Amino acid sequence: MHLEKRILVTGGAGFLGSHLCARLIAEGAQVLCVDNFFTGARRNVEPLLDHKHFELIRHDVTFPLFVEVDEIYNLACPASPVHYQHDPVQTIKTSVHGAINMLGLAKRVNAKILQASTSEVYGDPSVHPQTEDYWGNVNPIGLRSCYDEGKRCAESLFFAYRHQRNLGIKVARIFNTYGPRMHPNDGRVVSNFIVQALLGRDITIYGEGSQTRSFCYVDDLVDGLIRLMGTSHDVTGPVNIGNPDEFSILELASTVITLTGSSSKIVNRPLPQDDPRQRRPDISKAKEELSWTPRTKLKEGLIQTIAYFEQLLSDQGLRATLNADSA
Ligand code: NAD
Ligand code: UDP
Ligand code: UDP
């Protein structure tokens, strides 16, 4: 007999997943965290391991999974360009086979299921800010396509299961999110700049730094996902979840340098292929349907994130590894 809600979080040992698991446990749920540890790590969920309502399973979602749960958050998928481009075929399998398996599971046990989709479905957008009814501008064969098209196909699968099987689906389009427990080596801009600043290394701006992103703090994001899961059957999304405060990458670099008091210099590196020039969510739908709005200003969130990386880098072994990687 169980009284608590049983919740499956795939990719639960990753950056967002670990915060989500901690929040769900704090709210009294039983959490089953499934992860193949490709980019996630046991240490991200270390504080939860002894909790009687928490269970961690090593499993790859491209293979079927048979468990009994009430809700599924499908987060399994590498999210940083460096990681998802490392093995593009596996990235597509994770998005597509992973979605099919989790939808099959949701259908069998009649669970609600939420997909962690992404602003990348809009590609290099020609509409600004991005609204959910914009279909996007994605290169289907470019370097980013394994991720972008994989996520687009997953959305399509979610809606196909909805139309054919009336599944309780929720699709969240997540915009650039940052915070403690980002992987120090995953190449994303916030973690890169903070680690570079703290180590006194050059801050690497790709291109001129005029491209923009809108950064959402992880606690706000998790709150948005939980609210979306809590909506009624008729609310499916897709719904943008992100912070509409937009910054150029150059502005981000300057802010990180100021907040860390670093003496690092800014250097320019080539812009990667198909790098989106601008990105900002229109969050009217999230405000209306979820009564959600992000609360954390970029500076506040960066201060928390910098504190996390300072602590992490005080581990001498890790500092040596990062220095060796950059050598
Ligand atoms: P992350 O890389 O830290 O987490 C992904 C997790 O999924 C990792 O723990 C990884 O080991 C696991 N994983 C990967 N492939 C798997 C597989 N085949 N089977 C089981 N587990 C697997 O990234 P994140 O930032 O926490 O992203 C989580 C989700 O949110 C992803 O689906 C990502 O696409 C989405 N998202 C994130 C952002 C962001 O800014 N962080 C933006 C848009 C969308
Ligand atoms: N599946 C799973 N766990 C379950 C139920 C299904 O992993 O509890 C997988 C199943 O192996 C299949 C996929 O989900 O590959 C899709 O299931 P569905 O029932 O929709 O498809 P079908 O089996 O009818 O092709
Ligand atoms: N970027 C950068 N320097 C870095 C890492 C990233 O200038 O060291 C840029 C990157 O080219 C992109 C933006 O920062 O324009 C955000 O990159 P990230 O990989 O974090 O996310 P995404 O491109 O998927 O939004």
mmCIF file of all heavy atoms in Angstrom, residues 60-99:
data_model
loop_
_atom_site.group_PDB
_atom_site.id
_atom_site.type_symbol
_atom_site.label_atom_id
_atom_site.label_comp_id
_atom_site.label_asym_id
_atom_site.label_seq_id
_atom_site.Cartn_x
_atom_site.Cartn_y
_atom_site.Cartn_z
ATOM 1 N N ASP A 60 18.942 2.953 -18.919
ATOM 2 C CA ASP A 60 18.944 3.782 -20.127
ATOM 3 C C ASP A 60 17.519 3.772 -20.690
ATOM 4 O O ASP A 60 16.971 2.707 -20.991
ATOM 5 C CB ASP A 60 19.949 3.163 -21.118
ATOM 6 C CG ASP A 60 20.108 4.003 -22.366
ATOM 7 O OD1 ASP A 60 19.114 4.582 -22.844
ATOM 8 O OD2 ASP A 60 21.247 4.063 -22.870
ATOM 9 N N VAL A 61 16.932 4.949 -20.855
ATOM 10 C CA VAL A 61 15.516 5.020 -21.260
ATOM 11 C C VAL A 61 15.266 4.565 -22.698
ATOM 12 O O VAL A 61 14.119 4.459 -23.118
ATOM 13 C CB VAL A 61 14.914 6.444 -21.082
ATOM 14 C CG1 VAL A 61 14.815 6.815 -19.614
ATOM 15 C CG2 VAL A 61 15.677 7.483 -21.890
ATOM 16 N N THR A 62 16.337 4.311 -23.448
ATOM 17 C CA THR A 62 16.110 3.778 -24.797
ATOM 18 C C THR A 62 15.661 2.316 -24.721
ATOM 19 O O THR A 62 15.280 1.732 -25.728
ATOM 20 C CB THR A 62 17.366 3.911 -25.697
ATOM 21 O OG1 THR A 62 18.417 3.149 -25.118
ATOM 22 C CG2 THR A 62 17.795 5.347 -25.829
ATOM 23 N N PHE A 63 15.752 1.727 -23.513
ATOM 24 C CA PHE A 63 15.235 0.367 -23.287
ATOM 25 C C PHE A 63 13.951 0.455 -22.471
ATOM 26 O O PHE A 63 13.802 1.357 -21.640
ATOM 27 C CB PHE A 63 16.279 -0.490 -22.555
ATOM 28 C CG PHE A 63 17.535 -0.670 -23.365
ATOM 29 C CD1 PHE A 63 18.646 0.124 -23.127
ATOM 30 C CD2 PHE A 63 17.585 -1.598 -24.400
ATOM 31 C CE1 PHE A 63 19.797 -0.009 -23.902
ATOM 32 C CE2 PHE A 63 18.736 -1.741 -25.181
ATOM 33 C CZ PHE A 63 19.837 -0.945 -24.934
ATOM 34 N N PRO A 64 13.046 -0.515 -22.676
ATOM 35 C CA PRO A 64 11.773 -0.467 -21.939
ATOM 36 C C PRO A 64 11.982 -0.482 -20.423
ATOM 37 O O PRO A 64 12.987 -1.001 -19.930
ATOM 38 C CB PRO A 64 11.053 -1.743 -22.393
ATOM 39 C CG PRO A 64 11.666 -2.082 -23.704
ATOM 40 C CD PRO A 64 13.098 -1.632 -23.619
ATOM 41 N N LEU A 65 11.040 0.094 -19.730
ATOM 42 C CA LEU A 65 11.108 0.161 -18.261
ATOM 43 C C LEU A 65 9.722 -0.157 -17.711
ATOM 44 O O LEU A 65 8.731 0.456 -18.150
ATOM 45 C CB LEU A 65 11.526 1.586 -17.847
ATOM 46 C CG LEU A 65 11.558 1.883 -16.355
ATOM 47 C CD1 LEU A 65 12.710 1.132 -15.677
ATOM 48 C CD2 LEU A 65 11.714 3.391 -16.110
ATOM 49 N N PHE A 66 9.672 -1.092 -16.796
ATOM 50 C CA PHE A 66 8.379 -1.476 -16.226
ATOM 51 C C PHE A 66 8.364 -1.158 -14.741
ATOM 52 O O PHE A 66 9.017 -1.828 -13.956
ATOM 53 C CB PHE A 66 8.085 -2.961 -16.495
ATOM 54 C CG PHE A 66 7.812 -3.204 -17.958
ATOM 55 C CD1 PHE A 66 8.856 -3.387 -18.852
ATOM 56 C CD2 PHE A 66 6.515 -3.188 -18.449
ATOM 57 C CE1 PHE A 66 8.615 -3.560 -20.209
ATOM 58 C CE2 PHE A 66 6.259 -3.361 -19.807
ATOM 59 C CZ PHE A 66 7.318 -3.544 -20.692
ATOM 60 N N VAL A 67 7.683 -0.084 -14.382
ATOM 61 C CA VAL A 67 7.538 0.311 -12.980
ATOM 62 C C VAL A 67 6.109 0.828 -12.810
ATOM 63 O O VAL A 67 5.404 1.057 -13.804
ATOM 64 C CB VAL A 67 8.556 1.422 -12.593
ATOM 65 C CG1 VAL A 67 9.970 0.882 -12.563
ATOM 66 C CG2 VAL A 67 8.459 2.627 -13.523
ATOM 67 N N GLU A 68 5.709 1.003 -11.556
ATOM 68 C CA GLU A 68 4.338 1.486 -11.293
ATOM 69 C C GLU A 68 4.440 2.886 -10.698
ATOM 70 O O GLU A 68 4.996 3.059 -9.612
ATOM 71 C CB GLU A 68 3.624 0.562 -10.280
ATOM 72 C CG GLU A 68 3.707 -0.929 -10.609
ATOM 73 C CD GLU A 68 3.202 -1.272 -12.002
ATOM 74 O OE1 GLU A 68 2.109 -0.807 -12.369
ATOM 75 O OE2 GLU A 68 3.922 -1.977 -12.738
ATOM 76 N N VAL A 69 3.965 3.888 -11.425
ATOM 77 C CA VAL A 69 4.047 5.266 -10.937
ATOM 78 C C VAL A 69 2.774 6.040 -11.309
ATOM 79 O O VAL A 69 1.986 5.597 -12.146
ATOM 80 C CB VAL A 69 5.281 6.012 -11.511
ATOM 81 C CG1 VAL A 69 6.577 5.497 -10.915
ATOM 82 C CG2 VAL A 69 5.323 5.933 -13.032
ATOM 83 N N ASP A 70 2.623 7.216 -10.672
ATOM 84 C CA ASP A 70 1.459 8.066 -10.947
ATOM 85 C C ASP A 70 1.794 9.213 -11.904
ATOM 86 O O ASP A 70 0.924 9.726 -12.600
ATOM 87 C CB ASP A 70 0.930 8.666 -9.639
ATOM 88 C CG ASP A 70 0.611 7.589 -8.616
ATOM 89 O OD1 ASP A 70 -0.214 6.719 -8.928
ATOM 90 O OD2 ASP A 70 1.232 7.595 -7.529
ATOM 91 N N GLU A 71 3.062 9.646 -11.859
ATOM 92 C CA GLU A 71 3.485 10.761 -12.718
ATOM 93 C C GLU A 71 4.894 10.488 -13.239
ATOM 94 O O GLU A 71 5.700 9.866 -12.547
ATOM 95 C CB GLU A 71 3.528 12.080 -11.916
ATOM 96 C CG GLU A 71 2.165 12.572 -11.489
ATOM 97 C CD GLU A 71 2.238 13.850 -10.646
ATOM 98 O OE1 GLU A 71 3.352 14.317 -10.310
ATOM 99 O OE2 GLU A 71 1.157 14.368 -10.304
ATOM 100 N N ILE A 72 5.163 10.997 -14.440
ATOM 101 C CA ILE A 72 6.502 10.833 -15.039
ATOM 102 C C ILE A 72 6.992 12.200 -15.532
ATOM 103 O O ILE A 72 6.296 12.876 -16.298
ATOM 104 C CB ILE A 72 6.459 9.877 -16.257
ATOM 105 C CG1 ILE A 72 5.886 8.509 -15.863
ATOM 106 C CG2 ILE A 72 7.846 9.738 -16.888
ATOM 107 C CD1 ILE A 72 5.541 7.612 -17.050
ATOM 108 N N TYR A 73 8.191 12.583 -15.083
ATOM 109 C CA TYR A 73 8.879 13.743 -15.657
ATOM 110 C C TYR A 73 9.982 13.186 -16.547
ATOM 111 O O TYR A 73 10.920 12.570 -16.033
ATOM 112 C CB TYR A 73 9.505 14.603 -14.561
ATOM 113 C CG TYR A 73 8.534 15.391 -13.705
ATOM 114 C CD1 TYR A 73 7.921 14.807 -12.594
ATOM 115 C CD2 TYR A 73 8.258 16.735 -13.985
ATOM 116 C CE1 TYR A 73 7.047 15.534 -11.794
ATOM 117 C CE2 TYR A 73 7.395 17.467 -13.187
ATOM 118 C CZ TYR A 73 6.793 16.864 -12.091
ATOM 119 O OH TYR A 73 5.934 17.594 -11.289
ATOM 120 N N ASN A 74 9.875 13.388 -17.853
ATOM 121 C CA ASN A 74 10.865 12.809 -18.763
ATOM 122 C C ASN A 74 11.956 13.828 -19.106
ATOM 123 O O ASN A 74 11.831 14.603 -20.045
ATOM 124 C CB ASN A 74 10.175 12.308 -20.035
ATOM 125 C CG ASN A 74 11.140 11.531 -20.915
ATOM 126 O OD1 ASN A 74 12.008 10.802 -20.410
ATOM 127 N ND2 ASN A 74 11.020 11.677 -22.211
ATOM 128 N N LEU A 75 13.038 13.778 -18.312
ATOM 129 C CA LEU A 75 14.139 14.736 -18.486
ATOM 130 C C LEU A 75 15.375 14.095 -19.097
ATOM 131 O O LEU A 75 16.359 14.792 -19.371
ATOM 132 C CB LEU A 75 14.524 15.355 -17.125
ATOM 133 C CG LEU A 75 13.788 16.615 -16.673
ATOM 134 C CD1 LEU A 75 12.286 16.388 -16.562
ATOM 135 C CD2 LEU A 75 14.331 17.107 -15.339
ATOM 136 N N ALA A 76 15.383 12.774 -19.266
ATOM 137 C CA ALA A 76 16.606 12.111 -19.722
ATOM 138 C C ALA A 76 16.990 12.597 -21.110
ATOM 139 O O ALA A 76 16.230 12.445 -22.060
ATOM 140 C CB ALA A 76 16.405 10.598 -19.740
ATOM 141 N N CYS A 77 18.148 13.186 -21.219
ATOM 142 C CA CYS A 77 18.719 13.652 -22.495
ATOM 143 C C CYS A 77 19.864 14.611 -22.175
ATOM 144 O O CYS A 77 19.678 15.519 -21.362
ATOM 145 C CB CYS A 77 17.678 14.419 -23.326
ATOM 146 S SG CYS A 77 18.286 14.831 -24.973
ATOM 147 N N PRO A 78 21.029 14.414 -22.782
ATOM 148 C CA PRO A 78 22.084 15.418 -22.561
ATOM 149 C C PRO A 78 21.612 16.760 -23.108
ATOM 150 O O PRO A 78 20.951 16.812 -24.151
ATOM 151 C CB PRO A 78 23.277 14.875 -23.365
ATOM 152 C CG PRO A 78 22.694 13.917 -24.345
ATOM 153 C CD PRO A 78 21.427 13.382 -23.738
ATOM 154 N N ALA A 79 21.950 17.853 -22.405
ATOM 155 C CA ALA A 79 21.384 19.153 -22.781
ATOM 156 C C ALA A 79 22.411 20.131 -23.312
ATOM 157 O O ALA A 79 22.051 21.103 -23.963
ATOM 158 C CB ALA A 79 20.680 19.757 -21.566
ATOM 159 N N SER A 80 23.687 19.907 -23.045
ATOM 160 C CA SER A 80 24.659 20.893 -23.525
ATOM 161 C C SER A 80 25.140 20.487 -24.915
ATOM 162 O O SER A 80 25.281 19.293 -25.206
ATOM 163 C CB SER A 80 25.847 20.986 -22.568
ATOM 164 O OG SER A 80 26.860 20.091 -22.962
ATOM 165 N N PRO A 81 25.368 21.476 -25.796
ATOM 166 C CA PRO A 81 25.803 21.152 -27.162
ATOM 167 C C PRO A 81 27.013 20.207 -27.190
ATOM 168 O O PRO A 81 27.054 19.265 -27.979
ATOM 169 C CB PRO A 81 26.123 22.528 -27.754
ATOM 170 C CG PRO A 81 25.184 23.462 -27.027
ATOM 171 C CD PRO A 81 25.107 22.920 -25.636
ATOM 172 N N VAL A 82 27.992 20.416 -26.316
ATOM 173 C CA VAL A 82 29.173 19.538 -26.311
ATOM 174 C C VAL A 82 28.759 18.093 -26.046
ATOM 175 O O VAL A 82 29.202 17.164 -26.734
ATOM 176 C CB VAL A 82 30.179 19.999 -25.225
ATOM 177 C CG1 VAL A 82 31.312 18.988 -25.068
ATOM 178 C CG2 VAL A 82 30.733 21.363 -25.557
ATOM 179 N N HIS A 83 27.891 17.887 -25.088
ATOM 180 C CA HIS A 83 27.495 16.519 -24.749
ATOM 181 C C HIS A 83 26.546 15.910 -25.761
ATOM 182 O O HIS A 83 26.677 14.746 -26.115
ATOM 183 C CB HIS A 83 26.885 16.469 -23.342
ATOM 184 C CG HIS A 83 27.929 16.533 -22.270
ATOM 185 N ND1 HIS A 83 27.732 17.181 -21.070
ATOM 186 C CD2 HIS A 83 29.179 16.047 -22.226
ATOM 187 C CE1 HIS A 83 28.828 17.074 -20.341
ATOM 188 N NE2 HIS A 83 29.718 16.403 -21.021
ATOM 189 N N TYR A 84 25.559 16.684 -26.248
ATOM 190 C CA TYR A 84 24.621 16.034 -27.162
ATOM 191 C C TYR A 84 25.238 15.808 -28.541
ATOM 192 O O TYR A 84 24.779 14.946 -29.282
ATOM 193 C CB TYR A 84 23.251 16.732 -27.201
ATOM 194 C CG TYR A 84 23.123 18.114 -27.823
ATOM 195 C CD1 TYR A 84 23.361 18.335 -29.174
ATOM 196 C CD2 TYR A 84 22.674 19.184 -27.056
ATOM 197 C CE1 TYR A 84 23.198 19.592 -29.746
ATOM 198 C CE2 TYR A 84 22.511 20.445 -27.619
ATOM 199 C CZ TYR A 84 22.777 20.645 -28.955
ATOM 200 O OH TYR A 84 22.611 21.884 -29.512
ATOM 201 N N GLN A 85 26.310 16.556 -28.864
ATOM 202 C CA GLN A 85 26.973 16.327 -30.156
ATOM 203 C C GLN A 85 28.056 15.246 -30.066
ATOM 204 O O GLN A 85 28.618 14.827 -31.067
ATOM 205 C CB GLN A 85 27.583 17.635 -30.671
ATOM 206 C CG GLN A 85 26.514 18.615 -31.123
ATOM 207 C CD GLN A 85 27.025 20.022 -31.385
ATOM 208 O OE1 GLN A 85 28.201 20.243 -31.615
ATOM 209 N NE2 GLN A 85 26.115 20.991 -31.328
ATOM 210 N N HIS A 86 28.334 14.793 -28.858
ATOM 211 C CA HIS A 86 29.370 13.776 -28.656
ATOM 212 C C HIS A 86 28.971 12.456 -29.318
ATOM 213 O O HIS A 86 29.795 11.774 -29.926
ATOM 214 C CB HIS A 86 29.581 13.605 -27.146
ATOM 215 C CG HIS A 86 30.395 12.413 -26.773
ATOM 216 N ND1 HIS A 86 31.761 12.384 -26.940
ATOM 217 C CD2 HIS A 86 30.039 11.206 -26.273
ATOM 218 C CE1 HIS A 86 32.213 11.209 -26.540
ATOM 219 N NE2 HIS A 86 31.190 10.480 -26.138
ATOM 220 N N ASP A 87 27.678 12.101 -29.207
ATOM 221 C CA ASP A 87 27.183 10.862 -29.809
ATOM 222 C C ASP A 87 25.768 11.166 -30.341
ATOM 223 O O ASP A 87 24.762 10.860 -29.693
ATOM 224 C CB ASP A 87 27.150 9.759 -28.750
ATOM 225 C CG ASP A 87 26.751 8.405 -29.317
ATOM 226 O OD1 ASP A 87 26.269 8.354 -30.472
ATOM 227 O OD2 ASP A 87 26.908 7.398 -28.603
ATOM 228 N N PRO A 88 25.703 11.798 -31.526
ATOM 229 C CA PRO A 88 24.407 12.275 -32.034
ATOM 230 C C PRO A 88 23.370 11.160 -32.180
ATOM 231 O O PRO A 88 22.176 11.394 -31.936
ATOM 232 C CB PRO A 88 24.751 12.870 -33.401
ATOM 233 C CG PRO A 88 26.224 13.118 -33.388
ATOM 234 C CD PRO A 88 26.824 12.150 -32.430
ATOM 235 N N VAL A 89 23.815 9.961 -32.558
ATOM 236 C CA VAL A 89 22.853 8.874 -32.741
ATOM 237 C C VAL A 89 22.198 8.526 -31.397
ATOM 238 O O VAL A 89 20.979 8.373 -31.293
ATOM 239 C CB VAL A 89 23.541 7.636 -33.372
ATOM 240 C CG1 VAL A 89 22.597 6.444 -33.383
ATOM 241 C CG2 VAL A 89 24.013 7.963 -34.793
ATOM 242 N N GLN A 90 23.032 8.439 -30.361
ATOM 243 C CA GLN A 90 22.488 8.137 -29.028
ATOM 244 C C GLN A 90 21.573 9.269 -28.552
ATOM 245 O O GLN A 90 20.556 9.023 -27.891
ATOM 246 C CB GLN A 90 23.643 7.898 -28.030
ATOM 247 C CG GLN A 90 23.227 7.729 -26.572
ATOM 248 C CD GLN A 90 22.404 6.467 -26.278
ATOM 249 O OE1 GLN A 90 22.285 5.573 -27.110
ATOM 250 N NE2 GLN A 90 21.818 6.418 -25.084
ATOM 251 N N THR A 91 21.891 10.510 -28.914
ATOM 252 C CA THR A 91 21.030 11.635 -28.518
ATOM 253 C C THR A 91 19.645 11.475 -29.155
ATOM 254 O O THR A 91 18.615 11.663 -28.491
ATOM 255 C CB THR A 91 21.670 12.977 -28.958
ATOM 256 O OG1 THR A 91 22.925 13.097 -28.293
ATOM 257 C CG2 THR A 91 20.798 14.164 -28.616
ATOM 258 N N ILE A 92 19.624 11.099 -30.435
ATOM 259 C CA ILE A 92 18.330 10.922 -31.109
ATOM 260 C C ILE A 92 17.579 9.736 -30.491
ATOM 261 O O ILE A 92 16.377 9.824 -30.221
ATOM 262 C CB ILE A 92 18.525 10.709 -32.632
ATOM 263 C CG1 ILE A 92 19.155 11.967 -33.244
ATOM 264 C CG2 ILE A 92 17.197 10.387 -33.318
ATOM 265 C CD1 ILE A 92 19.590 11.810 -34.696
ATOM 266 N N LYS A 93 18.318 8.644 -30.240
ATOM 267 C CA LYS A 93 17.653 7.476 -29.631
ATOM 268 C C LYS A 93 17.064 7.837 -28.275
ATOM 269 O O LYS A 93 15.962 7.418 -27.925
ATOM 270 C CB LYS A 93 18.656 6.330 -29.448
ATOM 271 C CG LYS A 93 19.011 5.606 -30.719
ATOM 272 C CD LYS A 93 19.964 4.455 -30.373
ATOM 273 C CE LYS A 93 20.406 3.710 -31.616
ATOM 274 N NZ LYS A 93 21.512 2.778 -31.313
ATOM 275 N N THR A 94 17.831 8.601 -27.497
ATOM 276 C CA THR A 94 17.346 8.968 -26.162
ATOM 277 C C THR A 94 16.061 9.781 -26.266
ATOM 278 O O THR A 94 15.084 9.515 -25.565
ATOM 279 C CB THR A 94 18.429 9.759 -25.390
ATOM 280 O OG1 THR A 94 19.529 8.884 -25.155
ATOM 281 C CG2 THR A 94 17.913 10.284 -24.069
ATOM 282 N N SER A 95 16.047 10.753 -27.182
ATOM 283 C CA SER A 95 14.845 11.585 -27.314
ATOM 284 C C SER A 95 13.670 10.786 -27.857
ATOM 285 O O SER A 95 12.556 10.913 -27.348
ATOM 286 C CB SER A 95 15.113 12.760 -28.248
ATOM 287 O OG SER A 95 15.738 13.792 -27.542
ATOM 288 N N VAL A 96 13.929 9.968 -28.884
ATOM 289 C CA VAL A 96 12.815 9.344 -29.595
ATOM 290 C C VAL A 96 12.418 8.000 -28.944
ATOM 291 O O VAL A 96 11.280 7.837 -28.496
ATOM 292 C CB VAL A 96 13.163 9.178 -31.090
ATOM 293 C CG1 VAL A 96 12.039 8.456 -31.818
ATOM 294 C CG2 VAL A 96 13.427 10.547 -31.712
ATOM 295 N N HIS A 97 13.371 7.052 -28.854
ATOM 296 C CA HIS A 97 13.031 5.777 -28.201
ATOM 297 C C HIS A 97 12.666 6.003 -26.737
ATOM 298 O O HIS A 97 11.780 5.357 -26.197
ATOM 299 C CB HIS A 97 14.193 4.785 -28.261
ATOM 300 C CG HIS A 97 14.474 4.246 -29.628
ATOM 301 N ND1 HIS A 97 13.560 3.530 -30.355
ATOM 302 C CD2 HIS A 97 15.577 4.318 -30.406
ATOM 303 C CE1 HIS A 97 14.089 3.190 -31.518
ATOM 304 N NE2 HIS A 97 15.313 3.661 -31.581
ATOM 305 N N GLY A 98 13.402 6.939 -26.117
ATOM 306 C CA GLY A 98 13.120 7.239 -24.704
ATOM 307 C C GLY A 98 11.686 7.730 -24.547
ATOM 308 O O GLY A 98 10.952 7.290 -23.652
ATOM 309 N N ALA A 99 11.263 8.624 -25.431
ATOM 310 C CA ALA A 99 9.887 9.148 -25.345
ATOM 311 C C ALA A 99 8.880 8.028 -25.596
ATOM 312 O O ALA A 99 7.882 7.911 -24.871
ATOM 313 C CB ALA A 99 9.695 10.285 -26.356
#
